[in-house]
Amino acid sequence: MSAQDTRPVPRVVVIGAGIVGCSLADELTARGWTDVTVLEQGPLPTPGGSTSHAPGLVFRTSPSRTLTAFARYTVEKFTSLEADGVPCFQQVGGLELATTPERLADLHRRAGHAAAWGVTGEVVGPARCKELWPLLDESVVLGGFHTPHDGLARAGLACRAQAERATARGARFLDRHTVTGIERRDGRVTGVVTDRGTFPADHVVSAAGFWGPVIGRMAGVDVPLQPLAHQYARTGPLPGLSGATAEATKPILRFQDRDLYFREHHDRLGIGSYAHRPLPVDPFAVPGWEEARARNMDMPSSYPFTPEDWAPSWEDCRRLMPALRGAEIESGFNGVFSFTPDGMPVLGESRLRGFWLAEAVWVTHSAGVAKAVAEWMVYGRPAVDVHECDLTRFEEAQRSPAYIRERGAQQFVEVYDVVHPLQPIDRPRPLRVSPFHARQRELGAYFLEGGGWERPHWYEANAGLAEDLRLPARDAWSARHWSPVAAAEALATRERVALYDMTPLRRLEVTGPGALDFLDRMTTNNLRRKPGAVTYTLLLDETGGIRSDLTVARLAADRFQIGANSPADLDHLLRHAPAGVHIRDITAGTCCVGVWGPLARDLVQPLTADDFSHEAFGYFRARETYVGHVPVTALRLSYVGELGWELYTTADLGLRLWDTLWEAGRDLGAVAAGRSAFNSLRLEKGYRAWGVDMTDEHDPYEAGVGFAVRRDKAGFVGKAALERRGDPVRRLTPLLLDDPAAVVLGKEPVHVDGTPVGYVTSAAYGYTLGRCVAYAWLPAGLAAGTGVHVEYFGEKVPATVADEPLFDPRMTRIRR
């Protein structure tokens, strides 16, 4: 807070003095929130949670840009810290090994992620791996990914160093305080009850690690987190490491093909394994510190070693490092730590105002997470996009205890797997299905999953349409979860008409006498239009960043239907809605068919008594009508760049709507089409996907959606910040790959003159254009026609900056 700020300093209670709690106290007090109390049930400085046994390996590179940003900050911060003259980070580097061709390819992709996210690294050959780690059997290694600036975080020391800094600014750390309750009043948190007294609070942060669900229950907040035990063992002294004076000199090592990692402990090796069966732990049954000691446990997070689970991993270790063949395991334990259904942290403010979560965070990301949460609390938003970690991201169907247990265990199993970006979960499926699911199965739908929904990506019933298509051959990676049938469906949409299941897209209903004023204030475009108007608009934050993009249909004076993106949109609107404005999620009770293509009007018009001509039912208009026997809300919209409508009805009538449209489309050559064709078509048209192409890190002008901002409109959220922003220094830029056979998938680095300057967001083959289309964040000055290179599997693929939209720039196909 500024020196002129006279507001009282908020009272903050942080529950948990592990690496997250200590980091958060440091970050909050550095920003002027100095009335911070950190409560810990165990003894300090080693309270017995996951931090107390963490091996401290920090590999920064992740397919997630957000996690990489968290890890980069953690390394930067811990490198600058020391306790008792000992550095909190040892930059020995990192080495990830490949012993299979598939893993070696994955390391090239990881090197691409590193370049895209600003991490130094390179793929090296077996000889260099042996040079970096002399204990390796070079003959079994195909290569490695070397990151020289990764290393070991001394988590306990980092806790002490940050706690000392926070204490010097006014924070206090209290151990042996067991939280027994969370006080609340009128929807806000007011205090924390412990066995040694009550602590009033304006904000409470649960940084309790695997005890997070226990604390959450006290606050009436479910925490989607599953603790699991993970094996860690230490060898006895090894001749190859004898005489070591430093704790570690060699890079931290991953042998992911066997779910193993290694680090030095002077003349011994520490080895962690994810290869064993999942060992779930009930967070409500984890003993406290005293009870753990009574059970002869070193600490609550350290469970007894299970040799039977370790035996296969020990054989894998010995094959990789011959020096281990005569060695023995000196000690071991099963350490407890946290997994979520999607493997990401759980961050943000809950529906109980002032009650925050900073859970399921590993040491690797700890300081970065703490910085983001501190910014969120103090300034209203983090500097880095955190939508992948937002606690609101899980659907209600994904929050059941059974789902969290099952998906948490699967995340443990997959922690070192080579995971394709489209790879769906295996179980539990199917979970959420649209009313059209039975018909989709009859048509041979290939389903992927998102948000619990079964989503057809193409239909084998259309395979015959693809037989005569001449498509470039795909490599094995880009061919996974893809079919040439998608090309046939995309072309059928361009040439005839197709039905798309749009049911999983979120729908909100906003009603009440203040609905118009509320939505107009919250969004950027002009919503003060007559009923029947549809408006594309943006939700901004106070800094002008794009929180989401919305499609708002005004169905009556005080009734709106909103097409939104995620549960976070509902949460955000509910937080700001005034009395008298009612918001509800109607997705589950409704469904939607997109009818798109040049023959869309020929299909729909005979089924309704209303006039669906362009003159009577224009683009971006809405109408409540009937299609056959089915009442529908029809929106004249198109996300694929073709004439058509989104047709909404209630879930009970969904199957009748599909059958009505399907029967009417037979003579027109209508097809069912899936998400794969949909994504290709929307990228040809240049339509953005929030959360992929743009986030709250971007403003509308650099993201290419400035047309949705009415600058002459008074008082919308984010307007003042937009007016202060200068010319964009980066832009979301369309690229066309030069080679008609080349394909990229997204998250690849983009190079100009040999230097990485940006990264791909979305990419798909454009079947109408005969080229792969990729959108990328690049420097604003790159003109159309500029040559760039996209790095794919370590190869530099030539591409050219293009003008947009790439397809139908005059919008003649939509407006007819």
Side-chain angles (χ1 to χ4, degrees), residues 362 496 526 707:
W362 295 5
R496 299 187 303 280
N526 177 29
F707 62 87

Side-chain angles (χ1 to χ4, degrees), residues 50-378:
S50 299
T51 301
S52 302
H53 64 68
L57 284 74
V58 177
F59 290 90
R60 292 169 296 163
T61 305
S62 166
S64 166
R65 180 170 171 266
T66 299
L67 288 188
T68 301
F70 288 161
R72 287 180 60 189
Y73 180 77
T74 300
V75 168
E76 292 167 8
K77 184 176 185 181
F78 288 2
T79 300
S80 70
L81 296 176
E82 62 179 40
D84 298 332
V86 179
C88 294
F89 190 79
Q90 191 172 3
Q91 206 160 64
V92 293
L95 180 64
E96 303 179 47
L97 299 177
T99 59
T100 65
E102 183 184 28
R103 181 68 63 180
L104 185 60
D106 187 58
L107 295 187
H108 280 287
R109 285 190 296 276
R110 288 183 66 76
H113 291 143
W117 314 145
V119 174
T120 301
E122 64 173 337
V123 177
V124 298
R128 177 59 174 155
C129 293
K130 176 73 171 178
E131 181 183 345
L132 291 166
W133 256 90
L135 298 184
L136 296 176
D137 180 353
E138 184 181 351
S139 68
V140 304
V141 176
L142 299 182
F145 176 46
H146 181 221
T147 46
H149 302 133
D150 290 343
L152 289 167
R154 296 184 173 100
L157 289 181
C159 283
R160 285 178 53 196
Q162 293 179 102
E164 289 170 2
R165 299 202 317 184
T167 300
R169 301 186 192 110
R172 57 178 176 167
F173 287 74
L174 304 176
D175 65 359
R176 306 287 189 168
H177 281 64
T178 298
V179 175
T180 59
I182 304 294
E183 293 186 333
R184 41 192 158 148
R185 184 173 59 249
D186 298 330
R188 283 203 62 89
V189 70
T190 59
V192 177
V193 182
T194 76
D195 59 350
R196 299 175 66 177
T198 297
F199 296 83
D202 303 301
H203 296 272
V204 174
V205 185
S206 178
F210 54 76
W211 281 292
V214 179
I215 302 300
R217 180 176 292 181
M218 296 177 191
V221 174
D222 63 308
V223 180
L225 175 161
Q226 174 60 54
L228 288 109
H230 158 61
Q231 290 204 308
Y232 191 77
R234 289 197 193 197
T235 70
L238 298 175
L241 300 178
S242 62
T245 57
E247 179 184 0
T249 58
K250 299 174 184 60
I252 52 177
L253 184 69
R254 276 176 169 168
F255 180 24
Q256 291 153 299
D257 288 324
R258 289 295 181 269
D259 297 307
L260 293 163
Y261 62 81
F262 304 81
R263 57 153 295 177
E264 296 168 279
H265 292 281
H266 297 283
D267 63 349
R268 293 162 167 80
L269 279 187
I271 307 169
S273 172
Y274 294 98
H276 56 83
R277 62 194 167 95
L279 300 169
V281 173
D282 181 356
F284 295 89
V286 175
W289 178 268
E290 297 299 340
E291 184 183 351
R293 302 294 284 184
R295 294 188 194 178
N296 294 318
M297 298 168 63
D298 288 338
M299 60 185 72
S301 61
S302 178
Y303 278 52
F305 193 63
T306 48
E308 67 275 14
D309 291 311
W310 174 255
S313 290
W314 187 227
E315 291 306 311
D316 290 330
C317 293
R318 289 169 160 175
R319 281 191 288 270
L320 180 68
M321 298 184 190
L324 296 177
R325 291 169 188 168
E328 298 295 334
I329 294 300
E330 189 173 76
S331 63
F333 65 95
N334 290 354
V336 182
F337 64 140
S338 305
F339 285 82
T340 59
D342 59 4
M344 299 292 285
V346 179
L347 313 177
E349 187 181 21
S350 72
R351 291 286 178 88
L352 175 61
R353 301 297 184 259
F355 185 80
W356 297 76
L357 299 181
E359 299 290 12
V361 182
W362 295 5
V363 171
T364 299
H365 310 114
S366 55
V369 163
K371 176 176 180 287
V373 173
E375 291 169 338
W376 209 340
M377 295 173 70
V378 176

Side-chain angles (χ1 to χ4, degrees), residues 600-618 622-628 630-634 645 647:
R601 185 174 287 113
D602 300 72
L603 192 159
V604 176
Q605 183 62 84
L607 302 174
T608 179
D610 282 310
D611 187 351
F612 270 52
S613 69
H614 181 64
E615 293 74 19
F617 196 160
R623 177 176 296 174
E624 293 180 298
T625 183
Y626 288 86
V627 170
V630 180
V632 300
T633 300
W645 289 266
L647 302 177

